[in-house]
Amino acid sequence: MSKAKVLTTEQLEQFETEGYLIIRGLFRKEELAEIEEVFEEISQTAVPGYFEPELDRAADDPLKRYPRVMHPHRFNDKAMRYMLHQPVLAVLRELYGEPALAAQSMFYYKPPGSRGQALHQDNFYLKVEPGNCIAAWTAIDAADEENGALLVVPKTSQHEISCPETADEQESFTTHYIKPPKDKTAIPAVMGKGDVLFFNGNLIHGSYRNRSKNRFRRAFICHYANESAVRIASHYRPLFKEDGTIVYLESNPDGGPCGSEFETLYPH
Ligand SMILES: O=C(O)CCC(=O)C(=O)O
């Protein structure tokens, strides 16, 4: 039996032409409360390889106290469940025109005062082929210009993957920077709690610093590949089907047009 459609023609067109789409209120209040609880608990611990706060350096940089959590689905069942959140997968199925495979989860606390992430393109890191990755960026707190909302550069989703320049380390906690084309500007994606922003792996995006005094800007961020993809960078294996079954795509070898040194030093 075919599944009921969740996106309108206009929404599909927006994703095609602009490269991103915000779906309002895709996570319910109780679900958001559960996600908050999971990551509050994680923030009180250390999980080697996935969440490694450096408490002695927290006074200099709020991200040392609250670094991003990498791949929480690999050690937390609830994170796995939310990476495979049915309403998100239903949207992805329509954006891809086929089912999605879940490749990565992350959680950003982005406390007040913390640096942002310089503009970049996700498929530079994920190397999904053939096809592309799509991110589902869920606002756990309302996000706006003051607390460092995600920035998107509309219509860059058709651009080729470019080789990064060096980011301004005063403003970005990551080291890569992709300069937007001259005729394009980054705009903030202003979002409410529980809204989800979908964007494809070529779209140039990033975020500014959290300039607020006391507002975290937490986000649960997952990356997906189309089910027909054959290869992905090794950092993202294994992947998961909608029903949670494990899938091993081939490992996309390091390198590509920008050389191999980028890949191993700076996983996304
Ligand atoms: O949430 C942010 O500040 C940046 C996240 C991002 O760029 C990404 O997940 O690719």
Side-chain angles (χ1 to χ4, degrees), residues 106 108 110 117 120 122 137 148 150 199 205-207 217 219 221 223 268:
M106 294 190 289
Y108 283 39
K110 198 159 181 180
Q117 183 163 0
H120 61 281
D122 287 344
W137 191 103
L150 202 80
F199 54 94
H205 69 283
S207 65
R217 197 238 56 194
I221 308 168
H223 290 93
H268 180 258

Side-chain angles (χ1 to χ4, degrees), residues 5-18 20-21 23 94-95:
K5 293 263 175 265
V6 294
L7 296 180
T8 63
T9 309
E10 291 72 32
Q11 287 173 316
L12 283 169
E13 274 171 16
Q14 143 97 25
F15 186 79
E16 279 308 309
T17 57
E18 303 300 310
Y20 70 96
L21 174 68
I23 305 290
E94 286 178 34
L95 296 179

Side-chain angles (χ1 to χ4, degrees), residues 251-262:
S251 184
N252 205 348
D254 294 354
C258 311
S260 59
E261 85 271 22
F262 284 108

Side-chain angles (χ1 to χ4, degrees), residues 36 108-109 137-143 147 191-194 215-219:
E36 288 183 66
Y108 283 39
Y109 295 95
W137 191 103
T138 301
I140 305 301
D141 295 307
N147 70 349
M191 294 172 65
K193 203 174 163 109
R215 297 167 58 216
F216 278 64
R217 197 238 56 194
R218 294 170 298 174

